[in-house]
């Protein structure tokens, strides 16, 4: 599609004009964290070639998880979260809620995920309590071999003292971006973010006692999941759109 500062559906239409700049969506492994999200847009001419243009495969999941054959036999749950507008507007980001909407619509229209078990949370509705309540509901209702799809597009917090990251909900306590803070103030800012966000390990813990198929997609920076034990979550696939994912 042709590149534009604002997208109103034009990004879904192919451009036949070879003279206009085309969209490059998503960052490469060698970019800074804020440019690694799939929501990041850049532009270049159609005939340009570069070593970090292209696609990268994160992980192959079970081949039938998102097929009609699987859908006919099992219950599906989807929690799609996109936060572009935060409680602290200094941290607003572009396209996160739009991408979440596209993902939600894709699951409904293309893959036939049952609507009553699918939830889209965006911006002010994606609070810590709301997200955790929905995760709890899914974990308490999902049965053996059901399919659970969790998608998050928004900010994430850097690792805490235990090396575990967190997703940042709408109502997290985010600092003011002042350049004149002392060490104590900066430490307190980090503590406030950690305490008001949702640790990735706690998200995994919601599902550690159920035998469902789970797909996590984290489209944010600093998605570091080295605590993830494949032998403990054998039916779990983790996909992250950053080079901080392990």
């Amino acid at each position: 599609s042709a590149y534009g500062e604002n997208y109103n559906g034009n990004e879904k239409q192919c451009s036949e004009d070879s003279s206009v700049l085309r969209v490059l969506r998503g960052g490469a492994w060698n970019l800074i964290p804020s440019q690694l999200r799939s929501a990041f847009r850049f532009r270049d001419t159609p005939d340009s070639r570069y070593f970090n243009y292209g696609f990268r495969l994160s992980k192959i999941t079970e081949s039938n998880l998102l097929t009609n054959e699987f859908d006919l036999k099992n219950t599906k749950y989807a929690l799609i979260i996109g936060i572009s507008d935060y409680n602290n507007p200094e941290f607003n980001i572009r396209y996160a809620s739009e991408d979440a909407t596209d993902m939600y619509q894709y699951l409904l229209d293309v893959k036939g995920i049952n609507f009553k078990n699918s939830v889209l949370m965006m911006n002010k509705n994606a609070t810590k309590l709301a997200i955790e309540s929905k995760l709890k509901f899914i974990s308490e209702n999902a049965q053996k071999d059901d399919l659970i799809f969790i998608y998050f597009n928004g900010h994430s917090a850097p690792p805490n003292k235990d090396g575990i990251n967190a997703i940042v909900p709408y109502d997290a306590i985010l600092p003011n971006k002042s350049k004149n803070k002392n060490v104590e103030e900066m430490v307190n800012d980090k503590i406030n973010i950690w305490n008001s966000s949702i640790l990735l390990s706690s998200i995994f813990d919601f599902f550690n006692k159920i035998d469902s198929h789970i797909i996590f997609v984290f489209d944010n920076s600093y998605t570091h999941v080295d605590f993830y034990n494949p032998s403990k979550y054998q039916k779990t696939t983790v996909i992250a759109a950053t080079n901080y994912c392990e």
Side-chain angles (χ1 to χ4, degrees), residues 49-223:
R49 300 292 184 270
Y50 199 58
F51 73 95
N52 63 353
Y53 289 179
F55 298 90
R56 180 174 55 141
L57 180 63
S58 296
K59 181 178 178 180
I60 299 175
T61 185
E62 298 173 69
S63 60
N64 68 332
L65 278 187
L66 290 179
T67 64
N68 290 332
E69 177 185 355
F70 184 92
D71 289 342
L72 290 173
K73 299 185 296 183
N74 304 86
T75 304
K76 288 78 57 185
Y77 299 87
L79 175 57
I80 311 299
I81 306 164
I83 309 175
S84 292
D85 302 327
Y86 276 85
N87 192 37
N88 181 344
E90 289 186 278
F91 287 84
N92 288 354
I93 53 179
R94 301 172 70 182
Y95 310 125
S97 57
E98 291 86 347
D99 285 352
T101 301
D102 286 345
M103 176 64 75
Y104 178 73
Q105 201 62 46
Y106 172 77
L107 291 175
L108 292 179
D109 293 347
V110 180
K111 294 302 180 184
I113 301 297
N114 192 327
F115 180 79
K116 69 177 183 180
N117 293 321
S118 302
V119 173
L120 174 63
M121 289 185 180
M122 294 197 304
N123 300 325
K124 65 181 181 180
N125 293 321
T127 63
K128 181 179 181 180
L129 178 61
I131 294 172
E132 290 180 332
S133 296
K134 189 57 183 179
L135 290 171
K136 182 180 180 182
F137 171 83
I138 295 173
S139 67
E140 291 177 346
N141 287 273
Q143 304 297 316
K144 177 179 173 62
D145 288 331
D146 284 349
L147 173 61
I148 300 170
F149 186 90
I150 309 293
Y151 172 91
F152 178 82
N153 195 326
H155 282 302
S156 61
N160 63 11
K161 59 183 178 62
D162 297 316
I164 300 176
N165 302 92
I167 63 171
V168 179
Y170 166 81
D171 56 344
I173 303 175
L174 298 172
N176 295 321
K177 294 183 178 180
S178 171
K179 296 182 179 180
N180 300 313
K181 293 185 178 182
N182 57 41
V183 173
E184 182 179 358
E185 289 173 322
M186 290 188 289
V187 170
N188 287 335
D189 284 344
K190 289 185 176 181
I191 293 174
N192 286 334
I193 294 175
W194 292 331
N195 289 341
S196 59
S197 297
I198 305 173
L199 292 175
L200 295 186
S201 57
S202 69
I203 296 176
F204 279 67
D205 286 343
F206 275 107
F207 304 105
N208 64 2
K209 294 181 180 179
I210 63 176
D211 192 21
S212 298
H213 300 272
I214 308 171
I215 301 175
F216 292 104
V217 179
F218 298 109
D219 189 0
N220 49 279
S221 302
Y222 301 109
T223 305

